[in-house]
Amino acid sequence: MAATRAYLDYNASAPLIAEARAAMVAALDAANPSSVHTEGRASRRLVEDARRDVARLVNARPEHVVFTSGATEAASTLLTPDWQMGRGAVRMSHLYVSAADHPCILGGGRFAAAQVTRIGVDRNGIADLEALSAALAAHDKAAGLPLVAIHAANNETGVIQPVGRIGEIVKAAGGVLVVDAVQAAGRIPLDMSGSYADYLILSSHKVGGPKGVGAIIAASDLMMPRPLVNGGGQEKGHRAGTENVAGIAGFGAAARVALAGLAEMEAIARRRDEIEAIVTELAPDAEIFGNAAPRLANTTFLAIPGVKAETAQIAFDLAGVALSAGSACSSGKVGPSHVLKAMGRGDSLGALRVSIGRATGAGDIEVFRAALAGIVARRAGKEEAA
């Protein structure tokens, strides 16, 4: 194992930042925030301060933030046929998702499989807007409203979806739009006040906060999904269970830093471009997926002909580089990336995802260069032996 390691897997989980760690430690002894005594009120202030910080990250109202145990729970809560508007019920009769969405969206939440339609993407991973428009035009409104869920930025390729245009299409069809902003938050500006999204999904550990905390952010509290977790009245009845005060405090601290860090995205993009230049130099036949479309500044998804992604991932790890063969949520499974398959690239041997962050430096990039050089050299040796 290499003595010097480079962590290039921020899309799987960003390292816990110092500010989030300090906020968590300070909150570990916090009382139950539902208690009315002095200690309980102090704990409640920690939760509400964090709620404001998370809201600011996407320019939303704090009272429209609902904390969850993570993005998967948030998705499972939102992706349901059963919604509430005041004391009345609202029915979502069908769910429309992108074929390149994260598995927590593709799974359809509480919808039956027959109630879920997958919308295709082009070779760069951009959703087929004509297909979406046609599907929504054919939707039977008598049965209920259409619910559309899509990622703002893809977790594997980093490709950014035209959420504004998608929102216009959904609103014209009388539908509701849920946007998975897990990878986008802290990497591109998000503005609930000017967005067509009705609901956003966020995850703490993608922005440098702790794992096990996420959020639903609503444009309005006029209509909300039927709760997934029932019990007490926490989170205004939208998510029962005593709040994870330490985790929420860490999330809030990370959100503050992430908002300020948006100014650093151009510098991060230059480091990504440097990594891609190294790939092109050492493996000219490598393919970088989605690079013809708008992408996150920190993400490169690449394949090298003749090099199996899972094998390369192990080789990189042994050489001191932490990265993923596709999504970390599915990288332990053998098989092609569902994102590549949706993009019409299912014949690939798989792809490697390099994702960086503010702490990625020149030394990390040099470790990556040395590791890739070794992998390419071994490929050349095998070709000569054959």
Side-chain angles (χ1 to χ4, degrees):
M1 192 71 72
T4 301
R5 293 191 61 80
Y7 185 81
L8 307 179
D9 204 14
Y10 277 68
N11 285 13
S13 189
L16 184 68
I17 63 172
E19 293 87 345
R21 184 187 301 274
M24 293 178 68
V25 170
L28 284 174
D29 290 330
N32 189 322
S34 295
S35 297
V36 298
H37 47 58
T38 299
E39 290 81 1
R41 294 196 304 275
S43 183
R44 173 55 57 189
R45 281 194 296 274
L46 293 175
V47 171
E48 298 311 318
D49 286 347
R51 199 184 307 277
R52 283 191 292 273
D53 288 327
V54 171
R56 287 191 187 108
L57 181 58
V58 298
N59 196 23
R61 295 177 62 173
E63 61 268 29
H64 294 165
V65 176
V66 177
F67 287 117
T68 67
S69 67
T72 296
E73 183 194 321
S76 295
T77 300
L78 288 167
L79 304 187
T80 177
D82 301 315
W83 289 65
Q84 300 167 335
M85 181 181 290
R87 295 183 179 275
V90 177
R91 180 76 175 172
M92 305 287 173
S93 58
H94 204 85
L95 173 66
Y96 302 86
V97 301
S98 157
D101 273 324
H102 187 278
C104 74
I105 301 294
L106 285 176
R110 290 180 274 178
F111 282 90
Q115 295 174 294
V116 181
T117 294
R118 295 187 179 186
I119 304 298
V121 299
D122 65 17
R123 287 182 66 80
N124 284 303
I126 299 293
D128 185 338
L129 302 190
E130 290 187 4
L132 175 61
S133 296
L136 293 177
H139 178 83
D140 180 9
K141 293 183 180 178
L145 299 177
L147 180 64
V148 177
I150 192 166
H151 55 279
N154 190 267
N155 61 306
E156 294 189 9
T157 64
V159 167
I160 298 169
Q161 297 293 334
V163 173
R165 178 64 185 129
I166 291 169
E168 292 174 353
I169 293 170
V170 174
K171 290 298 173 290
V176 175
L177 178 60
V178 172
V179 173
D180 168 9
V182 166
Q183 296 294 344
R187 293 170 183 157
I188 60 174
L190 296 171
D191 187 349
M192 282 296 281
S193 70
S195 170
Y196 283 91
D198 296 295
Y199 304 89
L200 291 183
I201 296 170
L202 299 186
S203 176
S204 165
H205 74 103
K206 305 297 188 181
V207 295
K211 300 167 188 65
V213 187
I216 293 168
I217 303 187
S220 165
D221 58 3
L222 179 65
M223 183 174 69
M224 292 295 288
R226 180 173 59 82
L228 176 68
V229 180
N230 294 287
Q234 293 88 352
E235 297 301 292
K236 295 184 178 179
H238 300 306
R239 200 281 184 183
T242 301
E243 292 93 341
N244 174 6
V245 179
I248 289 170
F251 190 5
R256 286 197 305 274
V257 174
L259 181 59
L262 285 171
E264 301 178 45
M265 286 302 114
E266 287 187 9
I268 290 175
R270 288 194 292 271
R271 289 196 284 274
R272 179 203 64 190
D273 293 346
E274 185 178 348
I275 288 170
E276 293 183 357
I278 290 169
V279 172
T280 302
E281 172 194 342
L282 297 179
D285 56 346
E287 181 172 9
I288 296 174
F289 299 104
N291 61 346
R295 287 184 296 159
L296 295 177
N298 79 316
T299 306
T300 297
F301 199 44
L302 66 103
I304 303 172
V307 177
K308 191 174 181 180
E310 288 83 358
T311 302
Q313 182 185 22
I314 294 170
F316 269 113
D317 189 33
L318 292 174
V321 179
L323 46 71
S324 286
S327 166
C329 298
S330 57
S331 61
K333 303 171 186 176
V334 178
S337 157
H338 78 277
V339 175
L340 288 182
K341 186 176 180 180
M343 293 166 62
R345 313 297 183 89
D347 56 348
S348 171
L349 289 173
L352 298 167
R353 184 186 65 192
V354 181
S355 51
I356 62 177
R358 291 187 295 275
T360 305
D364 298 308
I365 294 174
E366 284 308 308
V367 174
F368 173 81
R369 173 190 280 277
L372 179 60
I375 291 169
V376 172
R378 285 191 290 275
R379 179 186 67 162
K382 289 180 181 179
E383 290 173 349
E384 291 176 3

